[in-house]
Amino acid sequence: MDHLNGKTPDTVTTTETRASSPRTSTPGLVDTNGNNPALSSEDATIVDEIEESKKGRFAYFKTRNFYIVLALGQVLALSLTASNTFSTLLVNEGTSIPAFQNFFNYVLLNIIYTSYTLYKYGFKKYIRVILKDDVILSFLDVEGNYFTVLAYRYTTILSAQLINFWAIVLVVLISFLFLHVRYHPSQIVGILICVGGMGILLGSDHITGATNYGSVSRGNQLKGDLFALLGATFYGMSNVTEEFLVSKRPLYEIVGQMGFWGMVISGAQAGIFDRDSFRTATWNGPVGGYLVGFTLCLSLFYTITPVLFRMASAAFFNISLLTSNFWGVVIGVRVFGLRVHWMYPLAFVCIIGGLLVYFVGKRVLGEARKPWLGKNQERGVSGVGTARREAERAATADATLAV
């Protein structure tokens, strides 16, 4: 895969917003490699200047982006919880068609983002985009969804959730080995604190019996655990791949391709594996409403996720989602009549504390500065949430003051 060999994709020449280049004679000038000459790694150190603008171990806490990243993580956790709630409501109505449910999400993403990509690129250039390796990202994402849902049919919720921790471990390992991400000790401690908070949640569920839904045979338990492990592996790989791609290319292109190929792959899986479930499913007004709610919540999730990948990382994304169990109980109190165990608020505070510790010692740009994009992020795209856009804004401000 060219991306992992350090080659810059051709589409990097298309930026989401062309920023001006005050250190060149022509504003907005971008060379044939998609690089802004004002941000060349051999020349200026604009990004370093930004990083040094605030001092101390809590420098990142003094920036607006820190609070945006924290809020986005919880919006994603709530979106995921809402989509899971709609799935539960569908099951309660007698409709369990996981691949078919996800198909609608990919269709909506395809309609929105592929249409915009066609508008920006034109048909000929869009055909070249389709032929790139985005299908790999879509395959990993679809299969992660599929095997995780499949795991819950055979194993206990407690077992599946514990195995899902493997996604966090895998994200850290892949980022370290292939993307050359180096984690600060406080980040490792933050991750461990978040995992500890999730452990409190799972312990609470086990004590109250919330994870016990009938007996599971030993054979099915093993099968379900393997499916959960496979789903977590696909999720971890897709998260890191998406973080890499959205740092180099426009969001609308990546999300549009996820929608296009996801629609094809999930549609094929639904046609193969969901035919019997489709025939026996209940179809009425509430089911239609739940499907719409599920699709809208999941589409919002897929829209915000790449922004968080740019501003933070796949690792932070995964630990942020650990609060979804807490939000699930909050929603369940109203929708399903659940009761909140005293350990749940404690676990939530623990996870949020871990998210804060994760950023202790980070400088002004936090994790937005990606090591694979060059010293001044010159190999990345200039778009929403990127460090390159921050650098170009700083360069523009410097040029204005100089004039």
Side-chain angles (χ1 to χ4, degrees), residues 191-235:
I191 291 173
L192 293 176
I193 293 174
C194 289
V195 170
M198 185 61 182
I200 295 174
L201 282 175
L202 296 177
S204 173
D205 286 344
H206 185 66
I207 291 171
T208 60
T211 58
N212 298 322
Y213 295 103
S215 60
V216 177
S217 68
R218 188 170 183 178
N220 280 346
Q221 175 81 48
L222 178 60
K223 185 190 298 184
D225 288 349
L226 290 174
F227 284 146
L229 184 63
L230 195 56
T233 301
F234 279 122
Y235 270 140

Side-chain angles (χ1 to χ4, degrees), residues 19-79:
S20 60
S21 299
R23 303 190 182 191
T24 62
S25 59
T26 306
L29 179 64
V30 177
D31 65 24
T32 55
N33 293 320
N35 297 329
N36 186 326
L39 300 178
S40 63
S41 59
E42 297 83 4
D43 185 21
T45 56
I46 302 173
V47 174
D48 286 330
E49 292 173 8
I50 296 173
E51 293 272 55
E52 295 296 330
S53 63
K54 291 182 174 65
K55 303 289 186 178
R57 296 180 61 82
F58 300 96
Y60 189 57
F61 289 72
K62 303 173 186 177
T63 68
R64 181 182 62 178
N65 283 353
F66 165 72
Y67 299 97
I68 294 175
V69 163
L70 204 62
L72 286 179
Q74 294 315 295
V75 170
L76 287 171
L78 280 167
S79 299

